[in-house]
Amino acid sequence: SQKIEQNSEALNIQEGKTATLTCNYTNYSPAYLQWYRQDPGRGPVFLLLIRENEKEKRKERLKVTFDTTLKQSLFHITASQPADSATYLCALGTYKYIFGTGTRLKVLA
Amino acid sequence: DVKVTQSSRYLVKRTGEKVFLECVQDMDHENMFWYRQDPGLGLRLIYFSYDVKMKEKGDIPEGYSVSREKKERFSLILESASTNQTSMYLCASSRRPTGDFTGELFFGEGSRLTVL
């Protein structure tokens, strides 16, 4: 069955450093992959989408890479800030989406 | 801005009660979804609707039903609530993927249901 794994449940980093989150998938060949941010007690908010023919996508301090050979996406937050602390989810699908369990990022001041 | 509104943020119900969770979106989206989110299990799709009166089962439809009588409204129904349905329920909507548009999801704030 299709499966998505996010590398760690929680990640702590120092303010100003680059946070790197990993999303691995199996038994799937997605046309694109999405990343969402979720704050405690709130619904997820869409951040970025990357297509299978795109190696990298950027939006402000965010960067996403997509390696269909490794079946992996990396999500980077550069110059991280305490306000970036949240859970980050990756999702695969075309119209029905499968989500990873998320990585809880904490940026320490 | 797209807005997805869920009728109740917090509900407490008794085992065996019938529970209605309502969701309304204001952006004329074709697709609407109900997910539940549990610690360690992530978001799991319960039901999906791609048009009025149309629905598809997701990964965990057992114990749930849905209704979509109007395009903007998608209801989740628990016919007889059980304690294992205690969870955070999230409604989402999206445009139908066409051409370059890929249908990213817009979520509501969630409804936290406790079944005693």
Side-chain angles (χ1 to χ4, degrees):
Chain A
S1 63
Q2 298 159 354
K3 195 173 178 182
I4 301 177
E5 287 184 348
Q6 295 191 238
N7 61 324
S8 56
E9 196 174 313
L11 179 65
N12 291 345
I13 63 165
Q14 286 298 130
E15 183 175 7
K17 300 292 185 185
T18 296
T20 298
L21 285 63
T22 304
C23 177
N24 295 295
Y25 59 92
T26 56
N27 297 325
Y28 203 82
S29 297
Y32 50 86
L33 183 146
Q34 304 180 25
W35 283 90
Y36 290 78
R37 169 185 172 139
Q38 186 174 24
D39 292 290
R42 312 291 294 272
V45 175
F46 172 78
L47 294 175
L48 276 173
L49 177 149
I50 186 165
R51 292 177 174 80
E52 61 179 344
N53 59 353
E54 296 174 322
K55 294 292 184 189
E56 183 179 297
K57 197 82 168 278
R58 290 176 185 262
K59 180 182 176 183
E60 298 172 355
R61 293 184 295 111
L62 307 180
K63 184 178 88 171
V64 173
T65 61
F66 194 14
D67 188 326
T68 55
T69 302
L70 290 178
K71 294 186 180 296
Q72 181 181 81
S73 174
L74 298 179
F75 177 81
H76 305 273
I77 305 175
T78 58
S80 59
Q81 305 165 0
D84 295 326
S85 299
T87 296
Y88 292 87
L89 306 166
C90 65
L92 297 172
T94 50
Y95 63 95
K96 286 198 293 186
Y97 301 91
I98 303 170
F99 281 81
T101 53
T103 296
R104 193 170 59 252
L105 174 68
K106 187 169 183 180
V107 181
L108 306 168
Chain B
D1 282 350
V2 173
K3 192 159 185 189
V4 178
T5 303
Q6 294 185 227
S7 54
S8 306
R9 288 298 306 274
Y10 302 95
L11 304 95
V12 179
K13 298 291 181 181
R14 297 278 178 195
T15 301
E17 279 192 77
K18 191 168 185 175
V19 181
F20 292 87
L21 299 179
E22 305 284 345
C23 176
V24 177
Q25 51 94 3
D26 65 0
M27 285 300 291
D28 202 36
H29 284 172
E30 293 86 2
N31 297 341
M32 295 189 75
F33 306 79
W34 275 106
Y35 287 88
R36 65 177 281 178
Q37 186 173 32
D38 301 287
L41 297 176
L43 277 83
R44 292 179 292 166
L45 182 63
I46 305 171
Y47 267 99
F48 158 63
S49 170
Y50 52 91
D51 205 343
V52 174
K53 297 191 187 294
M54 307 305 287
K55 62 187 179 186
E56 272 190 32
K57 292 180 180 179
D59 299 319
I60 51 164
E62 296 79 19
Y64 303 95
S65 62
V66 290
S67 171
R68 191 154 179 214
E69 296 296 317
K70 293 185 178 181
K71 190 175 184 180
E72 68 271 18
R73 187 178 297 269
F74 192 33
S75 302
L76 180 69
I77 302 149
L78 288 67
E79 293 289 341
S80 177
S82 63
T83 55
N84 63 12
Q85 292 179 309
T86 291
S87 186
M88 169 71 95
Y89 290 87
L90 288 159
C91 175
S93 72
S94 76
R95 282 172 48 197
R96 184 171 296 143
T98 53
D100 276 348
F101 181 73
T102 48
E104 47 265 37
L105 295 172
F106 295 85
F107 282 88
E109 294 287 10
S111 298
R112 184 164 293 282
L113 171 68
T114 301
V115 183
L116 302 174

